[in-house]
Amino acid sequence: MEEESIREASNEVCREFKTLIDERDLDSLKQLQLLILGRLQDSNAVLSHFNENSENCFAEVSADFSRNTRLLKSMKLDLDYIFQKLRSMKDKILATYPDAFPDGSEKEVLDRRPDLEMP
């Protein structure tokens, strides 16, 4: 008996709520929700395609990128070695011939190359 009265009260409350809301408003809300759902599905499909394309492009480029990175590191080591040799040669020349570099250019022995590893 008590469950039945609760069920009837619930049904009555539902009927009252239905009278507060216009059916046309509900239909327009449903249509808008379906429209938004369609747009979201289209956006999801476009993003999925973009991600697949990006993954393929990255797979194609990553080998070249890592090879070029190794090459640049090797070139940097070679250049560092060359500059070290040049500095030592300049030091030897200065030790043997103190006036070999006029106008105080021996003070500018510092490496003026930018440090590419610093941000």
Side-chain angles (χ1 to χ4, degrees), residues 19-56:
T19 60
L20 294 175
I21 299 173
D22 188 17
E23 280 294 319
R24 290 176 296 187
D25 291 340
L26 282 177
D27 288 339
S28 68
L29 282 175
K30 287 179 186 176
Q31 290 298 322
L32 286 173
Q33 285 179 341
L34 289 174
L35 179 68
I36 291 171
L37 176 65
R39 288 184 180 172
L40 289 174
Q41 287 173 338
D42 290 345
S43 298
N44 192 23
V46 168
L47 287 174
S48 295
H49 178 70
F50 174 78
N51 285 338
E52 290 172 6
N53 189 27
S54 297
E55 187 176 341
N56 291 337

Side-chain angles (χ1 to χ4, degrees), residues 75-84 87 110-116:
M75 289 171 62
K76 183 185 182 310
L77 289 173
D78 292 343
L79 285 172
D80 287 340
Y81 178 76
I82 290 169
F83 278 101
Q84 179 186 3
R87 281 190 291 275
L110 296 175
D111 187 7
R112 286 180 267 156
R113 294 177 297 156
D115 188 2
L116 299 177

Side-chain angles (χ1 to χ4, degrees), residues 2-18:
E2 189 175 326
E3 284 182 22
E4 193 173 310
S5 63
I6 291 174
R7 187 174 297 127
E8 286 179 22
S10 297
N11 288 337
E12 183 63 29
V13 169
C14 288
R15 272 183 253 133
E16 288 297 320
F17 273 128
K18 283 183 180 180

